[in-house]
């Protein structure tokens, strides 16, 4: 009897986690709307972003074009808890953190060797159809740069 109760409790916890993740407006596939975006030359450009459940974590995958015009792919798996988790595929960063500000807003920070390389905010529109990523960072010459990327939900 205790075993059944334990299994039922575990199943309900897992279902609750999936339900919360599925309800997040950040989850899903997002495609860059270049006409509405302002990405300066020399800034990496994520053309496609996917957020999906990965057990009790979230997996974020991006495809895009680097500063030299070459394609790239990044992957990050973690929680939206403000802690650093490993980032692969980005030569300028080796860790990323997301922190939930509210239901539609996340703070994001990319780091290399523990030092912040870029940071910003992601906001999903109330209708859930678009998301805007505002990022600031420092370029190779030490100059502060910023970009605004607008994505449409697919």
């Amino acid at each position: 009897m205790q075993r059944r109760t334990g299994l039922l409790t575990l199943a309900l916890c897992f279902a609750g986690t999936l339900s919360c993740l599925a309800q997040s407006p950040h989850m899903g596939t997002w495609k860059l709307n270049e006409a509405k975006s302002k990405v300066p030359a020399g800034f990496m450009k994520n053309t496609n972003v996917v957020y999906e459940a990965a057990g009790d974590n979230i997996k974020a995958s991006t495809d895009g074009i680097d500063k030299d015009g070459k394609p790239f792919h990044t992957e990050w798996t973690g929680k939206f808890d403000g802690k650093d988790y490993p980032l692969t595929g980005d030569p300028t960063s080796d860790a990323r953190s997301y922190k939930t500000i509210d239901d539609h807003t996340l703070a994001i920070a990319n780091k290399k060797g523990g030092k912040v390389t870029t940071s910003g905010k992601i906001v999903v529109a109330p209708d859930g159809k678009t998301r805007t990523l505002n990022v600031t960072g420092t370029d190779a010459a030490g100059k502060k740069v910023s970009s605004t990327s607008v994505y449409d939900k697919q």
Side-chain angles (χ1 to χ4, degrees), residues 58-82:
I58 299 159
K59 180 179 178 182
S61 303
T62 65
D63 290 295
I65 306 297
D66 71 11
K67 64 182 180 68
D68 298 320
K70 296 177 184 171
F72 71 88
H73 176 81
T74 69
E75 291 189 7
W76 172 94
T77 301
K79 298 182 186 321
F80 293 162
D81 60 4

Side-chain angles (χ1 to χ4, degrees), residues 3 7 9 12 16 24 33 37 41 48 66 69 72 79-80 87-89 91-92 95-96 98 112 123 129 131-132 136:
R3 183 178 173 153
L7 289 174
T9 301
L12 289 173
S24 170
N33 183 329
S37 299
N48 196 53
D66 71 11
F72 71 88
K79 298 182 186 321
F80 293 162
L87 174 66
T88 60
T92 66
R96 175 179 292 160
Y98 289 93
K112 180 80 168 185
V123 179
K129 294 180 181 179
R131 72 189 275 274
T132 303
T136 59

Side-chain angles (χ1 to χ4, degrees), residues 16-151:
T17 298
L18 288 179
S19 174
C20 288
L21 291 175
Q23 294 175 8
S24 170
H26 297 280
M27 303 303 280
T29 301
W30 300 89
K31 184 175 181 177
L32 182 67
N33 183 329
E34 294 200 46
K36 294 181 180 178
S37 299
K38 294 177 184 147
V39 181
F43 223 73
M44 290 176 53
K45 186 187 315 183
N46 294 331
T47 55
N48 196 53
V49 179
V50 178
Y51 291 100
E52 59 191 337
D56 66 344
N57 288 312
I58 299 159
K59 180 179 178 182
S61 303
T62 65
D63 290 295
I65 306 297
D66 71 11
K67 64 182 180 68
D68 298 320
K70 296 177 184 171
F72 71 88
H73 176 81
T74 69
E75 291 189 7
W76 172 94
T77 301
K79 298 182 186 321
F80 293 162
D81 60 4
K83 296 179 183 174
D84 293 343
Y85 294 91
L87 174 66
T88 60
D90 183 348
T92 66
S93 303
D94 55 22
R96 175 179 292 160
S97 66
Y98 289 93
K99 183 176 181 180
T100 301
I101 304 301
D102 60 41
D103 288 345
H104 289 265
T105 309
L106 295 172
I108 183 173
N110 290 320
K111 296 180 181 177
K112 180 80 168 185
K115 182 181 176 187
V116 175
T117 56
T118 58
S119 63
K121 191 177 355 176
I122 302 167
V123 179
V124 175
D127 66 6
K129 294 180 181 179
T130 60
R131 72 189 275 274
T132 303
L133 167 64
N134 290 301
V135 175
T136 59
T138 306
D139 66 13
K143 180 182 172 190
K144 191 171 184 175
V145 291
S146 63
S147 75
T148 299
S149 301
V150 178
Y151 295 85

